[in-house]
Amino acid sequence: GKNGSGKTFAFGLGILGRIDANIKQTQAIVICNTRELVQQQYNVFEDLTYAANGAYTFKRVIPTGRDEKKDNAKITEHIIIGTAGSIFGKLENRKITKVKDSLKCIVLDEADNLMGSAHTMKIIKHKGIKFENGNFKYLEEKYRINNKNSQT
């Protein structure tokens, strides 16, 4: 439904505010628990990026359907939006690299559904990412955000 889009929009702005457009590396990972949510978020970022004159880049990472060509390109987009399993797969296959220094936040959309997900935890603990402290900050009741070096 469209009802969540206002919140997603505000939320998307919060993410874009953390991104340095000059650094061509992934700086935010948005994990959604369904393909539909990934698409919804993707559309919002498309609108926000258009409003920002295309300064930000983003990529969808979802399970490949049988008829789709496997995308094996290295990912350097500012924002990755995807399902936990697919993002974890890309990390394992080293398609998302060098994020250790550039990553500013990991976002769990509908966190209550994702916190129990093994893949989500694997992403957060992944050697390619390494969030030092596992402490999550709440952003709305719907989202959880983990900032690498946040000042409280």
Side-chain angles (χ1 to χ4, degrees):
K2 263 303 222 202
N3 58 348
S5 59
K7 200 185 274 188
T8 309
F9 215 76
F11 183 63
L13 282 173
I15 294 171
L16 290 186
R18 290 175 165 81
I19 287 177
D20 179 343
N22 299 313
I23 298 171
K24 304 283 180 261
Q25 286 287 340
T26 299
Q27 296 171 53
I29 293 176
V30 180
I31 306 173
C32 307
N33 63 347
T34 64
R35 287 177 84 130
E36 292 70 44
L37 268 171
V38 171
Q39 190 55 50
Q40 221 173 308
Q41 293 280 16
Y42 184 83
N43 295 342
V44 168
F45 278 108
E46 217 164 26
D47 292 346
L48 287 170
T49 303
Y50 178 75
N53 293 323
Y56 304 101
T57 56
F58 46 100
K59 184 168 178 74
R60 236 179 325 211
V61 176
I62 49 176
T64 322
R66 271 182 312 214
D67 317 323
E68 295 160 11
K69 207 158 65 60
K70 272 248 183 288
D71 176 7
N72 283 320
K74 281 255 197 292
I75 298 173
T76 56
E77 281 81 1
H78 293 132
I79 303 163
I80 296 171
I81 307 151
T83 52
S86 298
I87 292 172
F88 179 68
K90 295 280 188 195
L91 277 167
E92 283 290 273
N93 300 332
R94 303 226 166 108
K95 297 300 170 212
I96 305 169
T97 54
K98 302 196 185 89
V99 288
K100 228 180 242 174
D101 306 319
S102 61
L103 195 69
K104 306 226 172 57
C105 60
I106 289 183
V107 179
L108 307 185
D109 187 359
E110 302 202 341
D112 40 339
N113 294 319
L114 285 166
M115 275 322 284
S117 141
H119 278 131
T120 301
M121 296 324 289
K122 281 181 181 161
I123 290 169
I124 292 165
K125 295 189 167 99
H126 197 276
K127 62 183 182 300
I129 287 181
K130 281 242 172 59
F131 271 99
E132 286 77 34
N133 50 1
N135 65 338
F136 286 89
K137 294 214 158 131
Y138 279 97
L139 243 195
E140 304 263 355
E141 73 287 354
K142 187 178 168 192
Y143 299 111
R144 271 183 164 183
I145 197 160
N146 189 341
N147 285 313
K148 215 163 178 178
N149 34 19
S150 51
Q151 298 85 21
T152 18

